[in-house]
Amino acid sequence: MLPESFLTELKFRNDIEDVVGSYVDLKRAGSNTVKGLCPFHSEKTPSFVVYRDTQSYYCFGCGAGGDVITFIKSAENLDYIEAVKFLAQRAGMQMPEQGVDDSMGKLKLRILEANRAAARWFYAAIFSPAGKQGLDYLLGRGLSIETIKHFGLGFAPSSWNALRDALRKKGFSDGDLLAADLVARSSKGSVYDKFRGRVMFPIIDLRGNVIGFGGRNMGDEKPKYLNTAETPAFHKNRNLFALNFAKRQKDRAYILAEGYMDVIAMHQAGFCTAVATLGTAIGDHQARLIAQYADTITIAYDADEAGQIATKRAIGILAPTGIKARVLHIPRQEAKDPDEYIKKYGNLRFERLLQNARGSTEYELQRAETGHDLKEPAGRAGYIKDAAVVVAALPTPAERDIYAGVVAERAGATKQGVLEQVEQLRRQHYRKQKKKERSELLSSAIDYRDKVNPQAAKNPLANTAEEFLIAALLRDVAFGRRIYPQLAERDFVTDFNRRVYSLLKGAFDAGLTGDLSYLAQLLTDQELARVTRIIAETAPLHIDIEEIDQKIGLLKKESSRPDSETIAHTPDADWAEMMRQLRQQKNKRT
């Protein structure tokens, strides 16, 4: 456990509103609350609330919650100790030497050290005789020596154990190399190099750490790209290739490409805000990551059908972030991707292509024309039908009005006719959405499983009282002097709330402040989110001594009632005594 004095100062120096405000655009929502779009899931209506008085946050959309340390854990993809170190560094504080269980942090550090050593080995290999094949390949793809050095590109020779043996000599164990996914284990138990006969692309995070690798073969061998699997140091859906270079630019107009070579070719040509996802389609977290550095982004995916489908998906993922998305159009007959286009036509032609990139709506309307002959009535009708779907998805009436006019002019129809079709689609979508919401609500009601506190649903009165008292203790530690002497742990009905109460009471008895930071070291993220929800849902309630005493009395009554399982297993000899006690309790209440 970290010292309480350290955590108290850490939170004081890292006010949650200031920290969260560097990731989320927060607006006033009350005297003690601010609200914004949740950084942990895509949403259009803000449901992410920060509570100043308890230094906590809770999202009513996805259920994420906790304190400033928990927030940094999720936002930066760190474990608990790493998040504390992050905030300590932000505040200029020294980490305490005692009481730190940093086993996961040490493993992650060992992986990063192994990756750095591997990157240096791959880099040295490409400039050695053994790496001539890889160097010739990259030079043949139009890369300069300066670019190869800038990106730290390397080569993995066609050997089963060259990297393994080199890193063993540097003191890395097979366990270290397996954790880093640099080697694999055979069916006989021996380990061998994962990357063999491939050009190597080191993946570097925003702090300059080598977190993983992409390896490209130089022939027809499958897979074309082999990437590092998920490790404690590498999560492909939370990072972007070359963002470490792009973030150095003052320009907030980014380019999103599909692969390593496209990005490297663009950087070499002077377009240094190009980034790429890591062997997968763009996800919500990557979109939010880009939004921290860019105001506009040009999607420069391949010109083939798969690239166009990926473009449409990326537009939808990027939309909730507020980034203005544009789409690069590379004619298929000219080139298949940015790398090939730059090689054929040069930097200036590619720059003009970027300048002429269409907005996402214009792009989708252009796509809607595909397969429709606008010279024919049926073709125009088909185009209006497909284009109306695009216009109906626009968020404001003004945008829908403008683009309805564009579609009408293109199809030789009236704007009013297009708008009527758009509104019909919006009504249909609204009904479908409501039906889906009702279905999900009914489904959750029928098959609800509360994994954190499964006893809450069967004991609503007791659970409500328990949560009120837990919230009181977390909002003001002084309430403990009123609650703890009257309420024993056995008076709690639900196991989860009893455990939380026990932890808080233990802290109080030890002279510690039982707050979210204290609980965060003892509960899982899911459990801590539930505690934060308790705080959030009771935030509007006034808590005073009279209400506390009432809830204590209610909980004592509820806990003294035997449940159905107890009754079912009560021996006949004890049945009469149990009934006598129940009647006595009933008479007292009346």
Side-chain angles (χ1 to χ4, degrees):
M1 293 282 290
L2 289 164
E4 183 190 25
S5 58
F6 171 79
L7 289 176
T8 299
E9 184 179 358
L10 183 79
K11 291 179 69 175
F12 178 77
R13 294 197 190 185
N14 290 281
D15 181 82
I16 193 166
E17 183 179 355
D18 293 338
V19 173
V20 174
S22 64
Y23 295 82
V24 180
D25 184 20
L26 297 171
K27 306 291 185 185
R28 286 283 171 266
S31 60
N32 277 310
T33 58
V34 288
K35 181 183 286 190
L37 294 173
C38 180
F40 306 125
H41 82 286
S42 294
E43 62 178 8
K44 296 181 179 179
T45 303
S47 60
F48 181 89
V49 183
V50 175
Y51 299 88
R52 287 203 209 95
D53 55 348
T54 56
Q55 288 290 294
S56 64
Y57 70 91
Y58 186 73
C59 176
F60 289 89
C62 68
D67 65 352
V68 68
I69 300 172
T70 314
F71 179 85
I72 289 299
K73 275 181 63 178
S74 300
E76 295 289 339
N77 189 33
L78 304 173
D79 64 30
Y80 182 83
I81 295 299
E82 287 176 321
V84 171
K85 288 180 179 178
F86 180 99
L87 291 169
Q89 185 176 13
R90 180 182 184 272
M93 295 173 61
Q94 290 291 323
M95 286 287 292
E97 295 182 2
Q98 302 297 324
V100 178
D101 178 12
D102 197 16
S103 54
M104 181 55 70
K106 289 177 181 176
L107 174 61
K108 185 174 179 180
L109 179 61
R110 195 63 175 159
I111 290 171
L112 294 175
E113 290 173 344
N115 283 342
R116 183 170 63 247
R120 289 173 176 170
W121 190 83
F122 291 138
Y123 178 80
I126 202 167
F127 292 109
S128 72
K132 184 177 185 303
Q133 179 188 8
L135 184 60
D136 289 346
Y137 172 82
L138 292 176
L139 295 173
R141 291 290 302 265
L143 300 187
S144 66
I145 293 293
E146 291 75 15
T147 297
I148 293 170
K149 290 181 176 179
H150 177 69
F151 282 90
L153 306 185
F155 182 70
S158 298
S159 166
W160 287 93
N161 52 29
L163 175 66
R164 181 201 68 186
D165 292 348
L167 294 188
R168 278 178 175 176
K169 289 178 182 178
K170 291 185 177 294
F172 294 100
S173 68
D174 288 352
D176 295 333
L177 304 183
L178 285 165
D181 198 39
L182 291 168
V183 300
R185 190 180 295 279
S186 72
S187 58
K188 295 182 179 179
S190 61
V191 299
Y192 59 90
D193 291 356
K194 174 176 178 174
F195 300 100
R196 303 180 306 280
R198 291 176 179 269
V199 173
M200 299 301 294
F201 300 84
I203 301 165
I204 302 171
D205 69 8
L206 294 172
R207 300 179 188 83
N209 298 310
V210 180
I211 56 176
F213 296 92
R216 193 200 191 287
N217 66 43
M218 294 162 291
D220 298 327
E221 179 190 350
K222 299 296 181 182
K224 182 167 71 173
Y225 280 98
L226 183 63
N227 296 311
T228 297
E230 296 279 309
T231 74
F234 178 62
H235 303 276
K236 62 184 178 182
N237 62 349
R238 290 177 174 263
N239 294 280
L240 291 158
F241 181 70
L243 184 59
N244 58 308
F245 295 125
K247 73 166 187 172
R248 300 176 187 173
Q249 308 301 312
K250 293 181 179 179
D251 190 356
R252 290 184 62 86
Y254 274 44
I255 306 168
L256 178 64
E258 283 196 62
Y260 306 118
M261 287 303 299
D262 285 332
V263 167
I264 293 172
M266 284 189 274
H267 277 249
Q268 180 171 276
F271 306 100
C272 297
T273 56
V275 297
T277 51
L278 301 169
T280 183
I282 187 169
D284 292 338
H285 193 284
Q286 290 164 318
R288 293 191 295 272
L289 183 60
I290 292 172
Q292 295 179 35
Y293 301 95
D295 299 320
T296 64
I297 188 157
T298 300
I299 303 170
Y301 285 173
D302 291 357
D304 59 15
E305 185 63 25
Q308 300 310 299
I309 293 172
T311 296
K312 183 176 177 63
R313 183 182 184 278
I315 290 171
I317 294 291
L318 289 162
T321 67
I323 300 176
K324 182 180 179 182
R326 302 161 70 237
V327 180
L328 187 75
H329 175 62
I330 300 178
R332 290 192 190 185
Q333 66 273 17
E334 295 183 4
K336 69 178 186 298
D337 55 37
D339 178 26
E340 185 176 314
Y341 190 92
I342 291 170
K343 285 189 180 67
K344 282 186 176 181
Y345 303 106
N347 304 355
L348 292 178
R349 281 275 297 272
F350 187 73
E351 185 172 10
R352 286 199 294 271
L353 208 63
L354 283 172
Q355 291 170 349
N356 293 327
R358 291 167 293 184
S360 56
T361 303
E362 287 83 355
Y363 166 80
E364 293 197 76
L365 288 177
Q366 179 67 39
R367 289 269 296 168
E369 281 193 41
T370 305
H372 300 299
D373 184 356
L374 299 189
K375 296 178 182 178
E376 298 293 330
R380 292 195 294 273
Y383 164 65
I384 291 173
K385 180 180 178 181
D386 289 348
V389 174
V390 177
V391 177
L394 296 173
T396 67
E399 289 176 286
R400 295 194 291 273
D401 185 80
I402 291 169
Y403 283 105
V406 172
V407 172
E409 183 177 356
R410 182 72 179 140
T414 66
K415 184 169 76 171
Q416 185 58 36
V418 175
L419 280 173
E420 287 177 1
Q421 193 154 340
V422 166
E423 290 308 311
Q424 182 181 3
L425 285 171
R426 287 180 63 81
R427 287 192 296 271
Q428 290 174 358
H429 176 74
Y430 177 80
R431 288 194 294 270
K432 287 181 181 178
Q433 191 66 27
K434 285 296 179 185
K435 185 177 179 180
K436 180 182 178 183
E437 289 174 2
R438 287 194 296 269
S439 176
E440 290 176 349
L441 184 62
L442 179 62
S443 176
S444 64
I446 293 172
D447 188 26
Y448 177 71
R449 297 291 184 273
D450 186 340
K451 295 180 180 178
V452 174
N453 191 358
Q455 296 164 312
K458 293 182 179 179
N459 303 278
L461 286 176
N463 181 67
T464 300
E466 290 171 354
E467 291 188 348
F468 181 91
L469 294 168
I470 287 171
L473 292 167
L474 288 168
R475 284 166 63 171
D476 188 346
V477 69
F479 283 133
R481 290 192 289 272
R482 183 77 177 189
I483 297 172
Y484 294 130
Q486 298 186 67
L487 196 64
E489 294 169 27
R490 64 176 179 274
D491 293 326
F492 275 68
V493 174
T494 71
D495 292 340
F496 173 71
N497 288 337
R498 182 187 300 112
R499 183 155 66 93
V500 173
Y501 181 76
S502 177
L503 292 173
L504 295 177
K505 187 175 185 301
F508 184 85
D509 292 342
L512 303 174
T513 302
D515 59 7
L516 285 177
S517 295
Y518 175 81
L519 293 176
Q521 301 178 80
L522 302 167
L523 301 177
T524 67
D525 288 350
Q526 194 176 20
E527 290 170 339
L528 188 68
R530 169 57 64 84
V531 175
T532 314
R533 192 185 84 178
I534 291 171
I535 297 173
E537 291 180 341
T538 58
L541 302 179
H542 174 65
I543 296 180
D544 57 26
I545 297 299
E546 183 179 350
E547 187 73 11
I548 284 174
D549 288 343
Q550 182 185 348
K551 289 295 191 291
I552 290 174
L554 188 153
L555 186 53
K556 282 180 172 292
K557 289 177 182 178
E558 290 297 311
S559 63
S560 66
R561 297 172 189 249
D563 57 28
S564 57
E565 186 175 350
T566 301
I567 293 172
H569 291 85
T570 299
D572 292 342
D574 298 333
W575 180 258
E577 177 60 22
M578 178 181 288
M579 292 302 295
R580 187 189 67 78
Q581 291 178 5
L582 287 173
R583 282 194 295 269
Q584 190 176 49
Q585 290 176 15
K586 182 178 179 181
N587 292 333
K588 286 181 180 180
R589 287 195 294 271
T590 57

Coordinates of all heavy atoms in Angstrom, one line a residue, residues 376-436:
E376 N -30.7 8.6 -66.7 CA -31.9 7.9 -66.7 C -32.8 8.1 -65.5 O -32.2 8.3 -64.4 CB -31.6 6.3 -66.8 CG -30.8 5.9 -68.0 CD -31.7 6.1 -69.3 OE1 -32.9 5.9 -69.2 OE2 -31.1 6.3 -70.3
P377 N -34.1 8.2 -65.6 CA -35.0 8.5 -64.5 C -34.8 7.5 -63.3 O -34.7 7.9 -62.1 CB -36.4 8.3 -65.0 CG -36.2 8.7 -66.5 CD -34.9 8.1 -66.9
A378 N -34.6 6.2 -63.7 CA -34.4 5.2 -62.6 C -33.1 5.4 -61.9 O -33.0 5.2 -60.7 CB -34.5 3.8 -63.2
G379 N -32.1 5.8 -62.7 CA -30.8 6.1 -62.1 C -30.8 7.2 -61.1 O -30.2 7.2 -60.0
R380 N -31.5 8.3 -61.5 CA -31.7 9.5 -60.6 C -32.4 9.1 -59.4 O -32.1 9.6 -58.3 CB -32.3 10.6 -61.4 CG -31.5 11.2 -62.5 CD -32.0 12.5 -63.0 NE -33.3 12.4 -63.6 CZ -33.5 12.1 -64.9 NH1 -32.4 11.9 -65.7 NH2 -34.7 12.1 -65.4
A381 N -33.5 8.3 -59.5 CA -34.3 7.9 -58.3 C -33.4 7.1 -57.4 O -33.5 7.2 -56.1 CB -35.5 7.1 -58.8
G382 N -32.6 6.2 -58.0 CA -31.8 5.3 -57.1 C -30.7 6.2 -56.4 O -30.4 5.9 -55.2
Y383 N -30.2 7.2 -57.1 CA -29.2 8.0 -56.5 C -29.8 8.8 -55.3 O -29.2 8.9 -54.2 CB -28.6 9.0 -57.5 CG -27.9 10.2 -56.9 CD1 -26.7 10.0 -56.2 CD2 -28.4 11.5 -57.1 CE1 -26.0 11.1 -55.6 CE2 -27.7 12.6 -56.5 CZ -26.5 12.3 -55.8 OH -25.9 13.4 -55.3
I384 N -31.0 9.4 -55.5 CA -31.7 10.1 -54.5 C -31.9 9.2 -53.3 O -31.7 9.7 -52.1 CB -33.0 10.7 -55.0 CG1 -32.7 11.8 -56.0 CG2 -33.8 11.3 -53.8 CD1 -33.9 12.4 -56.7
K385 N -32.3 8.0 -53.5 CA -32.6 7.1 -52.4 C -31.3 6.8 -51.6 O -31.3 6.9 -50.3 CB -33.1 5.8 -53.0 CG -33.4 4.7 -51.9 CD -33.9 3.4 -52.5 CE -34.2 2.4 -51.5 NZ -34.7 1.1 -52.1
D386 N -30.2 6.6 -52.3 CA -28.9 6.3 -51.5 C -28.4 7.6 -50.9 O -27.8 7.6 -49.8 CB -27.9 5.7 -52.5 CG -28.2 4.3 -52.9 OD1 -29.1 3.7 -52.3 OD2 -27.6 3.8 -53.8
A387 N -28.5 8.7 -51.6 CA -27.9 10.0 -51.1 C -28.8 10.4 -49.9 O -28.2 11.1 -49.0 CB -27.9 11.0 -52.2
A388 N -30.0 10.2 -49.9 CA -30.9 10.6 -48.8 C -30.4 9.9 -47.5 O -30.6 10.5 -46.4 CB -32.4 10.2 -49.0
V389 N -29.9 8.7 -47.5 CA -29.4 8.0 -46.4 C -28.2 8.8 -45.8 O -28.1 9.0 -44.5 CB -28.9 6.6 -46.7 CG1 -28.3 5.9 -45.5 CG2 -30.1 5.8 -47.2
V390 N -27.4 9.3 -46.6 CA -26.2 10.1 -46.2 C -26.7 11.4 -45.6 O -26.2 11.8 -44.5 CB -25.3 10.4 -47.4 CG1 -24.1 11.3 -46.9 CG2 -24.7 9.2 -48.0
V391 N -27.6 12.1 -46.2 CA -28.1 13.4 -45.7 C -28.9 13.2 -44.4 O -28.7 14.0 -43.5 CB -29.0 14.1 -46.8 CG1 -29.6 15.4 -46.2 CG2 -28.2 14.3 -48.0
A392 N -29.6 12.1 -44.3 CA -30.4 11.9 -43.1 C -29.5 11.7 -41.8 O -30.0 12.0 -40.7 CB -31.3 10.7 -43.2
A393 N -28.3 11.3 -42.0 CA -27.4 11.1 -40.9 C -26.7 12.4 -40.4 O -26.1 12.4 -39.4 CB -26.3 10.1 -41.3
L394 N -26.9 13.5 -41.1 CA -26.3 14.7 -40.7 C -26.9 15.3 -39.5 O -28.2 15.2 -39.3 CB -26.4 15.8 -41.8 CG -25.6 15.4 -43.1 CD1 -25.8 16.4 -44.2 CD2 -24.1 15.3 -42.8
P395 N -26.2 15.9 -38.5 CA -26.7 16.2 -37.2 C -27.6 17.4 -37.1 O -28.5 17.5 -36.2 CB -25.5 16.4 -36.4 CG -24.4 16.8 -37.3 CD -24.7 16.1 -38.6
T396 N -27.5 18.4 -38.0 CA -28.3 19.6 -37.9 C -29.2 19.8 -39.1 O -28.9 19.4 -40.2 CB -27.3 20.8 -37.7 OG1 -26.6 21.0 -39.0 CG2 -26.3 20.6 -36.6
P397 N -30.3 20.5 -38.8 CA -31.3 20.8 -39.9 C -30.6 21.7 -41.0 O -30.9 21.5 -42.2 CB -32.4 21.6 -39.2 CG -32.3 21.2 -37.8 CD -30.9 20.9 -37.5
A398 N -29.7 22.6 -40.6 CA -29.0 23.4 -41.6 C -28.2 22.6 -42.6 O -28.3 22.8 -43.8 CB -28.2 24.4 -40.9
E399 N -27.4 21.6 -42.1 CA -26.6 20.8 -42.9 C -27.5 19.9 -43.8 O -27.2 19.8 -45.0 CB -25.7 19.9 -42.1 CG -24.6 20.6 -41.3 CD -23.8 19.6 -40.4 OE1 -24.4 19.3 -39.4 OE2 -22.7 19.2 -40.8
R400 N -28.6 19.4 -43.3 CA -29.5 18.6 -44.1 C -30.1 19.4 -45.2 O -30.3 18.9 -46.3 CB -30.6 17.9 -43.2 CG -30.0 16.9 -42.2 CD -31.1 16.1 -41.6 NE -32.0 16.8 -40.7 CZ -31.8 17.0 -39.4 NH1 -30.6 16.5 -38.9 NH2 -32.6 17.7 -38.7
D401 N -30.5 20.6 -44.9 CA -31.1 21.5 -45.9 C -30.1 21.8 -47.0 O -30.4 21.8 -48.2 CB -31.5 22.8 -45.2 CG -32.2 23.8 -46.2 OD1 -33.4 23.5 -46.4 OD2 -31.6 24.7 -46.7
I402 N -28.8 22.1 -46.7 CA -27.8 22.4 -47.7 C -27.5 21.3 -48.6 O -27.5 21.4 -49.8 CB -26.5 22.9 -47.0 CG1 -26.7 24.3 -46.3 CG2 -25.3 23.0 -48.0 CD1 -25.6 24.7 -45.4
Y403 N -27.3 20.1 -48.0 CA -26.9 18.9 -48.8 C -28.1 18.3 -49.6 O -28.0 17.7 -50.6 CB -26.2 17.9 -48.0 CG -24.8 18.3 -47.7 CD1 -24.4 18.8 -46.4 CD2 -23.8 18.2 -48.7 CE1 -23.1 19.1 -46.2 CE2 -22.5 18.6 -48.4 CZ -22.2 19.1 -47.2 OH -20.9 19.4 -47.0
A404 N -29.3 18.6 -49.0 CA -30.5 18.2 -49.8 C -30.6 19.0 -51.1 O -30.9 18.4 -52.2 CB -31.8 18.4 -49.0
G405 N -30.2 20.2 -51.0 CA -30.1 21.1 -52.2 C -29.1 20.6 -53.2 O -29.3 20.6 -54.4
V406 N -27.9 20.1 -52.7 CA -26.8 19.6 -53.6 C -27.3 18.3 -54.3 O -27.1 18.2 -55.5 CB -25.6 19.3 -52.7 CG1 -24.6 18.5 -53.6 CG2 -25.0 20.5 -52.1
V407 N -28.0 17.4 -53.5 CA -28.5 16.2 -54.1 C -29.6 16.5 -55.2 O -29.6 15.9 -56.3 CB -29.1 15.3 -53.0 CG1 -29.8 14.1 -53.6 CG2 -28.0 14.8 -52.1
A408 N -30.5 17.4 -54.8 CA -31.5 17.8 -55.8 C -31.0 18.4 -57.1 O -31.4 18.0 -58.2 CB -32.5 18.8 -55.1
E409 N -30.0 19.2 -57.0 CA -29.4 19.8 -58.2 C -28.7 18.7 -59.0 O -28.8 18.7 -60.2 CB -28.4 20.9 -57.8 CG -27.8 21.6 -59.0 CD -26.8 22.7 -58.5 OE1 -26.7 23.0 -57.3 OE2 -26.2 23.3 -59.4
R410 N -28.0 17.8 -58.3 CA -27.3 16.8 -59.1 C -28.3 15.8 -59.8 O -28.0 15.3 -60.9 CB -26.5 16.0 -58.1 CG -25.6 14.9 -58.7 CD -24.5 15.4 -59.4 NE -23.6 14.4 -60.0 CZ -23.1 14.4 -61.2 NH1 -23.3 15.5 -62.0 NH2 -22.3 13.4 -61.6
A411 N -29.4 15.6 -59.2 CA -30.4 14.6 -59.7 C -31.5 15.3 -60.5 O -32.3 14.5 -61.1 CB -31.0 13.8 -58.6
G412 N -31.5 16.6 -60.6 CA -32.5 17.3 -61.4 C -33.9 17.1 -60.7 O -34.9 16.9 -61.4
A413 N -33.9 17.2 -59.3 CA -35.2 17.1 -58.6 C -35.4 18.3 -57.7 O -34.5 19.2 -57.7 CB -35.1 15.8 -57.7
T414 N -36.5 18.4 -57.0 CA -36.7 19.5 -56.1 C -36.1 19.2 -54.7 O -36.1 18.1 -54.3 CB -38.2 19.8 -55.9 OG1 -38.8 18.7 -55.3 CG2 -38.9 19.9 -57.3
K415 N -35.6 20.3 -54.1 CA -35.0 20.1 -52.8 C -36.1 19.6 -51.8 O -35.8 18.8 -50.9 CB -34.4 21.4 -52.3 CG -33.7 21.3 -50.9 CD -32.9 22.5 -50.6 CE -33.7 23.6 -50.1 NZ -32.9 24.7 -49.5
Q416 N -37.3 20.1 -52.0 CA -38.4 19.7 -51.0 C -38.7 18.2 -51.1 O -38.9 17.5 -50.1 CB -39.7 20.5 -51.4 CG -40.8 20.2 -50.4 CD -40.5 20.6 -48.9 OE1 -39.8 21.5 -48.7 NE2 -40.9 19.8 -48.0
G417 N -38.6 17.7 -52.3 CA -38.8 16.2 -52.5 C -37.7 15.4 -51.9 O -38.0 14.4 -51.2
V418 N -36.4 15.9 -52.0 CA -35.3 15.2 -51.3 C -35.5 15.3 -49.8 O -35.3 14.3 -49.1 CB -34.0 15.8 -51.7 CG1 -32.8 15.2 -51.0 CG2 -33.8 15.6 -53.2
L419 N -35.9 16.5 -49.3 CA -36.0 16.7 -47.8 C -37.1 15.8 -47.3 O -37.0 15.2 -46.2 CB -36.3 18.1 -47.5 CG -35.1 19.1 -47.5 CD1 -35.6 20.5 -47.3 CD2 -34.2 18.7 -46.3
E420 N -38.2 15.6 -48.0 CA -39.3 14.7 -47.6 C -38.8 13.3 -47.4 O -39.1 12.6 -46.5 CB -40.5 14.8 -48.5 CG -41.2 16.1 -48.5 CD -42.4 16.1 -49.5 OE1 -42.5 15.2 -50.2 OE2 -43.0 17.2 -49.5
Q421 N -37.9 12.8 -48.4 CA -37.4 11.5 -48.3 C -36.4 11.4 -47.1 O -36.4 10.4 -46.4 CB -36.7 11.1 -49.6 CG -36.3 9.7 -49.7 CD -36.2 9.2 -51.2 OE1 -36.7 9.9 -52.1 NE2 -35.6 8.1 -51.4
V422 N -35.7 12.4 -46.9 CA -34.7 12.5 -45.8 C -35.5 12.4 -44.4 O -35.1 11.6 -43.6 CB -33.9 13.8 -45.8 CG1 -33.1 14.0 -44.5 CG2 -32.9 13.7 -46.9
E423 N -36.5 13.1 -44.3 CA -37.3 13.1 -43.0 C -38.0 11.8 -42.8 O -38.1 11.3 -41.7 CB -38.3 14.3 -43.0 CG -37.6 15.7 -42.9 CD -36.6 15.7 -41.7 OE1 -37.0 15.3 -40.6 OE2 -35.5 16.2 -41.9
Q424 N -38.4 11.2 -43.9 CA -39.0 9.8 -43.8 C -38.0 8.8 -43.2 O -38.3 8.0 -42.4 CB -39.6 9.4 -45.1 CG -40.2 8.0 -45.1 CD -40.7 7.6 -46.5 OE1 -40.5 8.3 -47.5 NE2 -41.4 6.4 -46.5
L425 N -36.8 8.9 -43.8 CA -35.7 8.0 -43.3 C -35.4 8.3 -41.8 O -35.2 7.4 -41.0 CB -34.5 8.2 -44.1 CG -34.5 7.6 -45.5 CD1 -33.2 8.1 -46.3 CD2 -34.5 6.1 -45.4
R426 N -35.4 9.6 -41.4 CA -35.1 9.9 -40.0 C -36.2 9.4 -39.1 O -35.9 8.9 -38.0 CB -35.0 11.4 -39.9 CG -33.6 12.0 -40.5 CD -33.5 13.5 -40.3 NE -33.5 13.9 -38.9 CZ -32.4 13.8 -38.2 NH1 -31.2 13.4 -38.6 NH2 -32.4 14.2 -36.9
R427 N -37.5 9.5 -39.5 CA -38.6 8.9 -38.7 C -38.4 7.4 -38.6 O -38.6 6.9 -37.5 CB -39.9 9.3 -39.3 CG -40.3 10.8 -39.1 CD -41.7 11.0 -39.5 NE -42.0 10.8 -40.9 CZ -41.9 11.7 -41.9 NH1 -41.5 12.9 -41.6 NH2 -42.2 11.3 -43.1
Q428 N -38.1 6.8 -39.7 CA -37.9 5.3 -39.6 C -36.7 4.9 -38.7 O -36.8 4.0 -37.9 CB -37.6 4.8 -41.0 CG -38.8 4.8 -42.0 CD -38.4 4.4 -43.4 OE1 -37.2 4.1 -43.7 NE2 -39.4 4.4 -44.3
H429 N -35.7 5.7 -38.8 CA -34.5 5.4 -37.9 C -34.9 5.6 -36.5 O -34.5 4.9 -35.6 CB -33.3 6.4 -38.3 CG -32.2 6.2 -37.4 ND1 -31.3 5.1 -37.5 CD2 -31.7 7.0 -36.4 CE1 -30.4 5.3 -36.5 NE2 -30.6 6.4 -35.9
Y430 N -35.7 6.7 -36.2 CA -36.1 7.0 -34.8 C -36.9 5.8 -34.2 O -36.7 5.4 -33.1 CB -36.9 8.3 -34.8 CG -37.4 8.6 -33.4 CD1 -36.6 9.2 -32.4 CD2 -38.7 8.3 -33.1 CE1 -37.1 9.5 -31.2 CE2 -39.2 8.7 -31.8 CZ -38.4 9.3 -30.9 OH -38.9 9.6 -29.6
R431 N -37.8 5.3 -35.1 CA -38.7 4.2 -34.6 C -37.8 3.0 -34.3 O -38.0 2.3 -33.3 CB -39.8 3.9 -35.6 CG -40.9 5.0 -35.6 CD -42.1 4.5 -36.4 NE -41.8 4.3 -37.8 CZ -42.0 5.2 -38.7 NH1 -42.4 6.4 -38.4 NH2 -41.7 5.0 -40.0
K432 N -36.9 2.7 -35.3 CA -36.0 1.5 -35.1 C -35.2 1.6 -33.8 O -34.9 0.7 -33.1 CB -35.1 1.3 -36.3 CG -35.9 0.8 -37.6 CD -34.9 0.7 -38.7 CE -35.6 0.2 -40.0 NZ -34.7 0.1 -41.1
Q433 N -34.6 2.9 -33.6 CA -33.8 3.1 -32.5 C -34.6 2.9 -31.2 O -34.1 2.3 -30.2 CB -33.2 4.5 -32.5 CG -32.1 4.8 -31.5 CD -30.9 3.9 -31.8 OE1 -30.6 3.5 -32.9 NE2 -30.1 3.6 -30.7
K434 N -35.8 3.4 -31.1 CA -36.6 3.3 -29.9 C -37.0 1.8 -29.7 O -37.0 1.3 -28.6 CB -37.9 4.1 -30.1 CG -37.7 5.6 -29.9 CD -37.2 5.9 -28.4 CE -37.0 7.3 -28.2 NZ -36.4 7.6 -26.8
K435 N -37.3 1.1 -30.8 CA -37.6 -0.3 -30.7 C -36.4 -1.1 -30.2 O -36.5 -2.0 -29.3 CB -38.0 -0.9 -32.0 CG -38.5 -2.3 -32.0 CD -38.9 -2.8 -33.4 CE -39.4 -4.2 -33.4 NZ -39.8 -4.7 -34.7
K436 N -35.2 -0.7 -30.7 CA -34.0 -1.4 -30.2 C -33.7 -1.1 -28.7 O -33.4 -2.0 -28.0 CB -32.8 -0.9 -31.0 CG -31.5 -1.5 -30.7 CD -30.3 -0.9 -31.5 CE -29.0 -1.5 -31.1 NZ -27.9 -0.9 -31.8

